[in-house]
């Protein structure tokens, strides 16, 4: 189960499409984690986030709108994903639309949940006024004893709902909270249909994200917390990013915005590229989003098992990287197949290596020893623009940022900056992470 390493209870939110599940999810988690809109079926996968109520911590799961008995591919997989969430949940919240009459879909879902034996609370949503509250009693007909009227949009009744949901949950001890492991957030990004969801499922060994040949199946970012070799990683499967002119549906446009937001919130980005198509200009644009946000990057060349002449293909990928991804020359490249598992064993070790480099902090004394050992005259920049560096210090990590105290105030010449960054990488690795240099004037 995805969240077993945290030992926190799991609460699943289920319901038919467009009853306000994602709005309730965002309200409880105090976030805008799930995409919310009037277009039905926006949420398709299971979406996890941590929540807390009166000191009690739990993991909340938002699921896609369920229509029991649907046989079409995507609706059927939504039901499959929701069933997994129900199976691992300590509590289930069934959300219905209080402004509409009971539907057959509500009744079928209630029956399905009663058969699971899981504790279920019925949240009658969209109870925005006192007059509407009287209608909530109609929903006792679903056979669920705990019925709580709420308005997720206006936060009405949500406190009562959380009281009921968490009544039996433990309050974590201070010792337990102190020993919690630090997690690394990893966003998987790329163009539509390059294999992002397949990669997540391969990495965790569980069909966590809906995988389909229909491009654009993933709309929300889908995340899973996993443990490998004593380290915690939150894998975020983002929607495929298209060019602005190529997105038409409201949900698709929102998913691109959310994908870029999750890049910004991540520590490390896995840029997934389709080996059969090579590195393209859109791949460079997507990689540029991560670079601009200061995220660490690992480039994964996927579908490598489909390449017949791999030596020639690797040389071509190298040439394409020089043309399109020169700004990501610090990013390691791995050749993998999410479908067959080729090269997957190298992914988590590489993530941990990059995570360690991203957080590395070099003491000032060590940096100045390094500075005196570097022959700055080798930097190919105009002599008039070469600064005299008196000393340097590291101002921040994740990503690393260094301050140079110099006799200049304007920005370093790009060739001098590149030379110094390359020397820092040579000495201290900083694999996969961008490095920033900042000038400060100094009068000796």
């Amino acid at each position: 189960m995805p969240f077993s390493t945290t030992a926190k209870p799991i609460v699943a939110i289920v319901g038919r499409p467009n009853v306000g599940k994602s709005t309730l999810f965002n309200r409880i988690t105090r976030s805008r984690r799930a995409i919310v809109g009037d277009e039905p079926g926006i949420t398709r996968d299971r979406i996890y986030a941590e929540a807390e109520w009166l000191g009690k911590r739990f993991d909340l799961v938002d699921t896609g709108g369920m229509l029991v008995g649907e046989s079409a591919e995507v609706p059927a997989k939504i039901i499959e994903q929701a069933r997994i969430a129900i199976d691992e949940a300590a509590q289930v919240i069934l959300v219905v639309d209080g402004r509409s009459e009971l539907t057959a879909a509500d009744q079928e879902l209630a029956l399905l949940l009663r058969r699971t034996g899981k504790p279920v609370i019925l949240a009658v949503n969209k109870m925005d006024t006192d007059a509407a509250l009287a209608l909530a009693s109609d929903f006792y007909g679903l056979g669920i004893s705990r019925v709580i009227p709420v308005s997720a949009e206006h936060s009405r009744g949500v406190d009562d709902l959380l009281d009921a949901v968490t009544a039996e949950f433990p309050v974590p001890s201070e010792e337990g909270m102190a020993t919690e492991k630090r997690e690394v957030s990893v966003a998987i990004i790329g163009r539509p249909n390059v294999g992002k969801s397949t990669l997540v499922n391969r990495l965790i060994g569980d069909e966590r994200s809906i995988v389909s040949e229909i491009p654009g199946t993933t709309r929300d970012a889908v995340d899973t917390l996993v443990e490998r070799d004593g380290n915690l990683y939150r894998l975020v499967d983002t929607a495929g990013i298209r060019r602005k002119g190529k997105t038409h549906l409201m949900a698709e446009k929102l998913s691109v915005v959310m994908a870029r937001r999750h890049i910004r919130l991540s520590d490390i980005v896995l840029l997934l590229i389709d080996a059969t198509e090579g590195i393209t200009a859109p791949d460079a644009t997507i990689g540029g989003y991560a670079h601009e946000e200061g995220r660490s990057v690992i480039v994964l060349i996927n579908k490598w098992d489909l390449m017949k002449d791999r030596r020639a293909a690797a040389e071509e990928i190298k040439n394409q990287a020089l043309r399109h991804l020169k700004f990501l020359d610090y990013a390691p490249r791995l050749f993998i197949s999410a479908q067959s598992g080729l090269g997957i064993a190298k992914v988590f070790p590489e993530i941990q290596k990059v995570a360690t480099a991203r957080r590395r902090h070099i003491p000032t004394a060590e940096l100045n020893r390094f500075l005196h050992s570097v022959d700055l005259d080798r930097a190919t920049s105009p002599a008039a623009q070469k600064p005299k560096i008196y000393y340097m210090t590291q101002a921040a990590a994740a990503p690393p940022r260094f301050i140079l105290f110099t006799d200049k105030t304007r920005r370093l010449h790009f060739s001098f900056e590149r030379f110094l960054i390359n020397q820092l990488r040579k000495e201290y690795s900083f694999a996969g992470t961008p490095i920033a240099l900042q000038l400060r004037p100094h009068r000796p």
Side-chain angles (χ1 to χ4, degrees):
M1 293 183 186
F3 282 79
S4 60
T5 55
T6 64
K8 294 195 295 291
I10 294 176
V11 177
I13 298 177
V14 301
R16 61 182 173 84
N18 221 29
V19 294
K21 297 184 300 298
S22 295
T23 303
L24 181 61
F25 178 89
N26 289 343
R27 176 67 65 184
I28 293 174
T29 59
R30 300 183 179 91
S31 71
R32 298 186 66 182
R33 176 68 184 79
I35 297 176
V36 177
D38 293 330
E39 184 181 318
I42 286 178
T43 301
R44 295 179 176 182
D45 298 289
R46 309 191 319 268
I47 301 172
Y48 289 77
E50 186 178 78
E52 182 178 348
W53 180 246
L54 301 179
K56 298 177 179 182
R57 302 171 69 181
F58 58 97
D59 289 308
L60 191 65
V61 193
D62 187 19
T63 63
M66 295 177 68
L67 291 172
V68 180
E70 282 283 345
S71 58
E73 181 183 7
V74 171
K77 289 196 172 185
I78 289 173
I79 293 172
E80 181 183 339
Q81 291 292 310
R83 284 179 180 271
I84 294 171
I86 293 165
D87 288 344
E88 65 185 10
Q91 284 275 3
V92 178
I93 301 173
L94 172 59
V95 182
V96 296
D97 185 345
R99 294 186 302 195
S100 67
E101 295 182 353
L102 270 176
T103 67
D106 292 326
Q107 293 169 341
E108 290 169 348
L109 265 174
L111 178 61
L112 183 153
L113 291 173
R114 291 202 306 272
R115 286 174 174 170
T116 67
K118 295 281 184 176
V120 180
I121 296 174
L122 181 64
V124 183
N125 193 26
K126 306 182 184 179
M127 298 283 95
D128 303 329
T129 65
D130 291 336
L133 291 176
L135 302 175
S137 59
D138 296 344
F139 290 87
Y140 279 98
L142 291 175
I144 297 172
S145 60
R146 295 185 293 173
V147 178
I148 299 177
V150 301
S151 170
E153 185 173 356
H154 299 104
S155 197
R156 186 171 186 159
V158 175
D159 290 3
D160 294 334
L161 176 64
L162 289 172
D163 284 341
V165 166
T166 63
E168 304 298 324
F169 290 176
V171 177
S173 65
E174 290 185 10
E175 180 182 354
M177 293 175 69
T179 56
E180 276 194 2
K181 296 172 183 176
R182 179 178 179 180
E183 67 184 50
V184 177
S185 178
V186 182
I188 295 93
I189 66 172
R191 293 182 289 113
N193 222 32
V194 294
K196 297 182 295 298
S197 297
T198 305
L199 174 63
V200 172
N201 294 341
R202 173 65 66 174
L203 288 173
I204 66 175
D206 175 23
E207 191 165 336
R208 173 65 181 81
S209 301
I210 294 175
V211 178
S212 169
E213 291 302 317
I214 305 169
T217 300
T218 301
R219 289 182 174 182
D220 270 305
V222 182
D223 63 351
T224 305
L225 192 64
V226 296
E227 183 174 13
R228 289 292 185 276
D229 300 323
N231 300 303
L232 285 178
Y233 305 95
R234 186 175 294 276
L235 303 180
V236 183
D237 176 14
T238 65
I241 301 176
R242 295 176 172 87
R243 288 181 296 174
K244 288 183 180 178
K246 297 293 184 180
T247 55
H248 303 290
L249 292 176
M250 180 271 290
E252 287 186 346
K253 292 179 180 179
L254 281 175
S255 67
V256 171
V257 171
M258 292 296 284
R260 294 191 63 175
R261 179 174 180 265
H262 286 287
I263 290 172
R264 197 159 54 245
L265 295 175
S266 67
D267 299 303
I268 297 171
V269 162
L270 304 183
L271 174 58
L272 202 60
I273 289 170
D274 187 334
T276 64
E277 297 181 13
I279 302 174
T280 65
D283 292 322
T285 299
I286 295 168
Y289 297 150
H291 178 71
E292 290 164 9
E293 294 292 348
R295 303 305 93 186
S296 298
V297 180
I298 301 171
V299 178
L300 300 182
I301 312 298
N302 192 29
K303 305 183 185 180
W304 196 239
D305 56 328
L306 302 181
M307 309 306 290
K308 294 181 179 179
D309 188 347
R310 293 181 186 173
R311 180 175 295 182
E315 187 63 28
E316 179 58 25
I317 289 290
K318 179 180 177 181
N319 293 333
Q320 291 171 354
L322 286 173
R323 290 197 301 272
H324 297 298
L325 297 179
K326 193 171 183 179
F327 60 94
L328 289 179
D329 58 357
Y330 56 83
R333 288 195 294 271
L334 298 179
F335 296 88
I336 67 163
S337 169
Q339 188 69 44
S340 72
L342 174 70
I344 292 297
K346 298 178 181 178
V347 175
F348 276 117
E350 195 66 35
I351 291 172
Q352 188 55 40
K353 177 182 175 183
V354 170
T356 300
R358 180 176 178 79
R359 296 192 295 260
R360 181 170 293 131
H361 193 282
I362 312 300
T364 299
E366 170 63 19
L367 279 174
N368 287 292
R369 183 208 60 77
F370 155 78
L371 187 60
H372 286 103
S373 70
V374 175
D375 183 3
L376 297 178
D377 290 334
R378 291 169 49 206
T380 56
S381 63
Q385 295 188 39
K386 284 186 179 179
K388 180 175 178 59
I389 303 176
Y390 297 102
Y391 64 98
M392 67 186 298
T393 187
Q394 185 171 353
R401 178 167 57 88
F402 298 92
I403 296 178
L404 307 177
F405 291 86
T406 77
D407 61 344
K408 307 286 185 185
T409 56
R410 61 176 179 268
R411 185 186 176 102
L412 290 173
H413 189 272
F414 77 90
S415 59
F416 187 94
E417 183 177 87
R418 182 175 58 194
F419 173 81
L420 191 52
I421 287 176
N422 286 341
Q423 294 303 308
L424 281 165
R425 290 193 190 283
K426 183 178 178 181
E427 184 74 14
Y428 303 112
S429 176
F430 290 114
T433 188
I435 293 175
L437 300 180
Q438 182 179 343
L439 294 190
R440 289 266 183 90
H442 174 73
R443 291 184 177 88

